[in-house]
Amino acid sequence: MYRTHTCGALRASDINTEVTLSGWVSKHRDKGFMIWVDLRDRYGITQLIFDEERTDKAVFETAKNLGREFVIQVKGKVIEREAKNNNIPTGDIEVLVETLTVLNRSEVPPFTIEDETDGGEDIRMKYRYLDIRRNPVKNNLLFRHKVAQEVRNYLSAQDFCEVETPYLIKSTPEGARDFVVPSRMNPGEFYALPQSPQTFKQLLMVGGMDRYFQIVKCFRDEDLRADRQPEFTQIDCEMAFVDQEDVMNTFEGMTKHLLKSVHNIDVKEFPRLTFEEAMRKYGNDKPDIRFGMEFGELNAVAQHKDFVVFNNSELVVGIAVPGAASYSRKEIDALIDWVKRPQVGASGMVYCKYEANDTYKSSVDKFFDQTDLKAWAEITGAKEGDLILVLSGPANKTRAQLSALRMELGNRLGLRKSNEFAPLWVVDFPLFEYDEESGRFHAMHHPFTSPKKEDISLLETDPGKVRANAYDMVLNGNEIGGGSIRIHDKETQQLMFKHLGFTPEQAQEQFGFLMNAFQYGAPPHGGLAFGLDRLVAILGGQETIRDFIAFPKNNSGRDVMIDAPSTIDQEQLNELSISLIQK
Amino acid sequence: MYRTHTCGALRASDINTEVTLSGWVSKHRDKGFMIWVDLRDRYGITQLIFDEERTDKAVFETAKNLGREFVIQVKGKVIEREAKNNNIPTGDIEVLVETLTVLNRSEVPPFTIEDETDGGEDIRMKYRYLDIRRNPVKNNLLFRHKVAQEVRNYLSAQDFCEVETPYLIKSTPEGARDFVVPSRMNPGEFYALPQSPQTFKQLLMVGGMDRYFQIVKCFRDEDLRADRQPEFTQIDCEMAFVDQEDVMNTFEGMTKHLLKSVHNIDVKEFPRLTFEEAMRKYGNDKPDIRFGMEFGELNAVAQHKDFVVFNNSELVVGIAVPGAASYSRKEIDALIDWVKRPQVGASGMVYCKYEANDTYKSSVDKFFDQTDLKAWAEITGAKEGDLILVLSGPANKTRAQLSALRMELGNRLGLRKSNEFAPLWVVDFPLFEYDEESGRFHAMHHPFTSPKKEDISLLETDPGKVRANAYDMVLNGNEIGGGSIRIHDKETQQLMFKHLGFTPEQAQEQFGFLMNAFQYGAPPHGGLAFGLDRLVAILGGQETIRDFIAFPKNNSGRDVMIDAPSTIDQEQLNELSISLIQK
């Protein structure tokens, strides 16, 4: 037996017990006559002591030559520690070692295995198996397991059934790019890896498997933006005989359960914003409502003065930055530079300080008097001591710019607290969004989302105005889940494909199996999918999903640890009936 | 709201309640003045009643025109049923319908949605979403969920952490054929889909993530034998600082928990057989021990008589078939024909009836007297009334043939009871098996399995004799799980690759990341993987895994429902820098 206890188990009550421990040498302090070793495993750290007087000579010699990350097994007696360490649960005791076995040696690791490491991202990814020994990474993985397990327990208790859907499916040109898998047994043909189990979960609903869920890997072959992964994990859910309210209540319950079980936090009923409200108030369909700084639209009070920039703008919109009236000219200039960066793209920014005694000082005092500026303050909700920042231009672009600024200021002012959780729903999304590049409408969620009944008449006349039975769950400025009530009849689904630019033949070829299924008694159904990677990161108080994935890929889609992807043998290519094109 | 209750919920205590139900029209009986409908959903069946006297005329007319599998919503009052049906939990009541809404119509389904259906395998697979509405399939999926959830709960309670490992990994020529995925971002390079997370779970052990598990899809591009799927699900587990005994105890506990939680069956400590014992006793490394018919080796008593066939055979081996001494000549001839079929391949079979009054009647009475035959009976454990069947020839082949016969007779005699569960361990597998075709040794489990310490010296001299620290869990004649204690040092791993015919360069190129990892303090570790599809099928008292997979593929690896794999656009091929080879 390699151990009687883990390295996190021993307490004062174990004093005088003979124990066997195994683990890694985390620290090694040699005082000549006395050697201390911090022995580490997944469960904690236990201090070992080797003493020239009390320890066997050969054992003491071996202990002298232990290196960092050596794997050892020791037997010894638990004794009371002279200098207690209240920072660790085993801090009251240490183990006086009697026998020592080196189970495996270790080269000097390429970075230190400590909470604060000297290893950069690249080296840590290459040696991810060493990175995982560090508490921050290890704890993230344990946290992820806890969240997934709570999700499964909650949904199972609500009669949801986890059903595994296939990974080798059919490629469809709709949506993002598929990863494909050549079929050796069917030369010239390919499977695709699922971007989501969307059609399968709908077929399960047609199959009567009401209340389905699955925690499942999905795949998208897209150019990777920062913090996107080619493979990612969804909590995928679907229910039959439900309307939007049923689905939202069910998953609001699940998220409440998660916050309660992992953080012991009770949250009230989630606020709901329509897409339009979210855009007007926050310039963003996934607003962070942990802090205010809501948008104030100033067109009515800031236009029709002599300030041409505003007069020529579709939208003039501002926010009040709490306590920032004291910013220096230099600080404000830096903010203006920030919004003018290409990533944000504003052409300029107007500011107005709400100073003591109800006075206002703005960068456009030439055009606006104190009464005008007071109106700005009222509309943006500014209080004495606040700084009002105003952008103007085309409505959508300007909202996006001001939203970026609001989030940046939220960060700078420490308003986005990692231990605070403010979930909400955003509802009534548009069914389509217009893509300038291709000159056609795309489905904002996906082509299976149902339009609102009252908007169906607009499908032909004004498709951009049609609202969908679609809803997103938003947490701390991130969309953590999105879903919709689906189309469940063939005619509407055909109409939808038509509006998305499919010919009837294309629609039939790619989604014929789904539309056929709708002819055999498809029930009303809807659902939702959460991005588990992001959900876990945000619940963990962080935003980088890579830190919550055991073996992530880099921005070129490479796994630098195993060096994948890689070339394959000519023989393999031949078997698959494919050849490489040299470019 | 679509329903106040599911179709499985209402009981006598609900009589006089106004309810809303939704579901499928499962049966429709029209007696003219009265119509009964069996309304079905995932949860059960509730009888609806429409009555010319009590039901609104328009509703009654609509009810007349309902077809099978129409999706409807009804409101009405729960009333006591005149003719109670004790076969279903809702059999005491029916719902007198007041309003009826047809939510969706249905074409006549291509087969009947009943427990015993008229649909053949092909049509049911094509319309799998309708097949899933049938209780046998639906219940299998619910059962699978239950088993998976029990596995997760058990392992989580034992401090195991589920870690997701990547699906887009690196292709290695060892083992079965990989499915590969061309990388668009890295032209000319390919990912592979994992055949198992083997190396990743070992890296997790190196990373200190002791007690890992994962329920995970794996992929093998092999020619599909009956009841093999290109994608299948494993319960993959690994532990650090363990020996074989620790791993076996942990997962024996898990299997006991499953049998208890899904069948309320207590099983005793699992018997253990060495590979050699299993082969000698049952001719099989995954013996079904629900019944006896153990092999009796007859060389000592059946050779050196005048029967040349036996004298020239490496092995003479028999089994006693209980109660089969009464078989007619015709029945026995049919058995002889059965073992002579090419699938079994015996060249003949000797029989001996153990008749009343301690007399024996054999097909080789010319060569063997009553004393000889009595010895056969003793060795095979035959009792009066049994039939002894004897095969002879090369040891391995003959054992395989007699094993096939034993299993066939077990089935015919009803000894393989689907509600009886007889798990066992088979241990001490050979490390290598010799492959005649390639003229070299292959790893019997995989190249990461450690040899037994006491056999290491045989590696150079007699590799076929080296035993591995490997163990299989066997249930009812099926291997449900297999595992081993792994190699955890670079030198042994290199030695292993050498014996498997790798050059040092090949080993480094393909598994360098693992051997490098072993240099940084790899702990002793080992684990086990269960095939979930098969485990669930066997626990479900069946053997066909396809029946426990929501959307299985056929023997050509095709999903006939969605018609995958399929061709992809030339544009997609160009983006992936590959072209098709026409054959």
Side-chain angles (χ1 to χ4, degrees), chain B residues 22-34:
Chain B
S22 291
W24 285 266
V25 173
S26 184
K27 272 188 193 153
H28 184 262
R29 279 170 301 151
D30 186 346
K31 294 270 181 186
F33 58 97
M34 201 88 100

Side-chain angles (χ1 to χ4, degrees), chain A residues 133 164 191 210 233 520 557, chain B residues 3 133 164 191 233 520 557:
Chain A
R133 285 189 199 159
E164 295 177 55
Y191 301 100
D210 179 26
T233 307
Y520 292 100
Chain B
R3 58 187 173 195
R133 286 191 198 157
E164 294 177 55
Y191 302 100
T233 307
Y520 292 99

Side-chain angles (χ1 to χ4, degrees), chain B residues 100-224:
Chain B
L100 165 64
T101 310
V102 176
L103 298 172
N104 216 342
R105 301 171 59 84
S106 175
E107 304 280 320
V108 175
F111 52 88
T112 55
I113 314 288
E114 286 172 3
D115 291 9
E116 299 290 330
T117 180
D118 55 358
E121 172 96 0
D122 290 352
I123 193 94
R124 289 194 294 110
M125 286 304 153
K126 180 158 187 213
Y127 296 90
R128 183 64 163 176
Y129 46 86
L130 298 180
D131 200 25
I132 290 173
R133 286 191 198 157
R134 296 170 54 238
N135 283 321
V137 182
K138 179 195 78 177
N139 290 337
N140 284 352
L141 296 180
L142 293 172
F143 183 74
R144 183 182 180 115
H145 169 63
K146 163 103 174 134
V147 171
Q149 186 68 0
E150 289 294 344
V151 166
R152 285 197 164 94
N153 288 342
Y154 182 84
L155 292 176
S156 298
Q158 304 263 330
D159 249 342
F160 280 79
C161 175
E162 186 161 16
V163 180
E164 294 177 55
T165 53
Y167 278 77
L168 297 172
I169 66 165
K170 185 180 170 130
S171 186
T172 58
E174 183 62 21
R177 228 183 256 107
D178 286 324
F179 281 106
V180 298
V181 181
S183 167
R184 183 180 54 85
M185 291 180 80
N186 304 277
E189 298 191 323
F190 293 76
Y191 302 100
L193 300 179
Q195 296 183 24
S196 89
Q198 182 64 32
T199 49
F200 287 96
K201 71 175 173 177
Q202 293 194 245
L203 290 172
L204 284 171
M205 294 308 106
V206 177
M209 278 303 295
D210 179 25
R211 298 204 159 216
Y212 142 92
F213 83 103
Q214 189 181 191
I215 299 187
V216 61
K217 273 280 174 78
C218 302
F219 304 85
R220 276 183 207 165
D221 184 13
E222 296 195 274
D223 297 329
L224 300 172

Side-chain angles (χ1 to χ4, degrees), chain A residues 2-3 22-24 42-43 69 71 104-108 129-130 132-133 138 142 144-145 149 152-153 156 159-171 177 179-186 189-191 200 203 206-211 217 219 221-223 231 233 240-242 488 513 517 519-524 532 550-551 553 555-558 561-566 568 572-581 583, chain B residues 2-3 22-24 42-43 69 71 104-108 129-130 132-133 138 142 144-145 149 152-153 156 159-171 177 179-182 184-186 189-191 200 203 206-211 217 219 221-223 231 233 240-242 488 513 517 519-524 532 550-551 553 555-558 561-566 568 572-581 583:
Chain A
Y2 279 103
R3 58 188 173 196
S22 291
W24 285 265
R42 185 191 127 187
Y43 312 93
E69 302 306 319
V71 185
N104 216 340
R105 301 172 59 83
S106 176
E107 303 280 320
V108 176
Y129 46 86
L130 298 180
I132 290 173
R133 285 189 199 159
K138 179 195 75 176
L142 293 172
R144 183 183 179 113
H145 169 63
Q149 186 67 1
R152 286 195 163 95
N153 288 343
S156 298
D159 248 343
F160 280 79
C161 175
E162 186 161 16
V163 180
E164 295 177 55
T165 53
Y167 277 78
L168 297 172
I169 65 165
K170 183 179 170 134
S171 188
R177 227 182 255 106
F179 282 106
V180 297
V181 181
S183 167
R184 182 179 55 83
M185 291 179 81
N186 304 277
E189 298 192 323
F190 293 77
Y191 301 100
F200 287 96
L203 291 172
V206 177
M209 277 302 296
D210 179 26
R211 298 206 159 213
K217 274 280 174 77
F219 304 86
D221 184 13
E222 296 195 275
D223 297 329
E231 50 177 303
T233 307
F241 301 114
V242 286
H488 69 280
F513 61 94
Q519 294 181 281
Y520 292 100
L532 180 66
F551 300 103
K553 292 189 174 55
N555 283 349
S556 322
R558 292 202 75 83
M561 181 185 71
I562 61 170
D563 191 27
S566 60
I568 60 174
Q572 267 177 293
L573 292 171
N574 293 345
E575 280 193 327
L576 296 170
S577 306
I578 58 173
S579 62
L580 303 181
I581 305 174
K583 280 186 180 158
Chain B
Y2 280 103
R3 58 187 173 195
S22 291
W24 285 266
R42 185 191 127 187
Y43 312 93
E69 302 305 319
V71 185
N104 216 342
R105 301 171 59 84
S106 175
E107 304 280 320
V108 175
Y129 46 86
L130 298 180
I132 290 173
R133 286 191 198 157
K138 179 195 78 177
L142 293 172
R144 183 182 180 115
H145 169 63
Q149 186 68 0
R152 285 197 164 94
N153 288 342
S156 298
D159 249 342
F160 280 79
C161 175
E162 186 161 16
V163 180
E164 294 177 55
T165 53
Y167 278 77
L168 297 172
I169 66 165
K170 185 180 170 130
S171 186
R177 228 183 256 107
F179 281 106
V180 298
V181 181
R184 183 180 54 85
M185 291 180 80
N186 304 277
E189 298 191 323
F190 293 76
Y191 302 100
F200 287 96
L203 290 172
V206 177
M209 278 303 295
D210 179 25
R211 298 204 159 216
K217 273 280 174 78
F219 304 85
D221 184 13
E222 296 195 274
D223 297 329
E231 50 176 303
T233 307
F241 300 114
V242 286
H488 69 280
F513 63 94
Q519 293 181 284
Y520 292 99
L532 180 66
F551 300 102
K553 293 190 173 55
N555 282 350
S556 321
R558 293 201 75 83
M561 182 185 71
I562 60 171
D563 190 27
S566 60
I568 60 174
Q572 267 177 294
L573 293 171
N574 294 345
E575 282 193 326
L576 296 170
S577 307
I578 57 173
S579 62
L580 302 181
I581 304 174
K583 279 185 180 160

Side-chain angles (χ1 to χ4, degrees), chain A residues 10-13 15 78-86 88-94:
Chain A
L10 296 171
R11 299 286 183 276
S13 57
I15 284 167
V78 182
I79 59 174
E80 186 169 3
R81 196 154 148 179
E82 274 182 37
K84 305 251 188 310
N85 178 351
N86 292 325
I88 55 172
T90 62
D92 287 345
I93 58 92
E94 58 194 356

Side-chain angles (χ1 to χ4, degrees), chain B residues 349-413:
Chain B
M349 181 160 64
V350 165
Y351 70 85
C352 169
K353 294 178 171 186
Y354 186 160
E355 300 188 326
N357 306 319
D358 227 0
T359 59
Y360 301 88
K361 178 85 201 73
S362 84
S363 56
V364 285
D365 281 353
K366 222 193 313 181
F367 306 103
F368 298 97
D369 61 23
Q370 292 288 306
T371 318
D372 293 331
L373 298 176
K374 189 183 169 75
W376 293 17
E378 272 163 16
I379 292 171
T380 59
K383 294 191 176 55
E384 195 180 297
D386 291 356
L387 174 70
I388 302 167
L389 296 173
V390 182
L391 295 176
S392 60
N396 289 347
K397 271 193 190 168
T398 306
R399 286 194 177 111
Q401 291 160 359
L402 193 61
S403 171
L405 178 64
R406 176 179 175 271
M407 293 294 269
E408 173 69 14
L409 288 165
N411 283 330
R412 290 192 192 178
L413 298 171

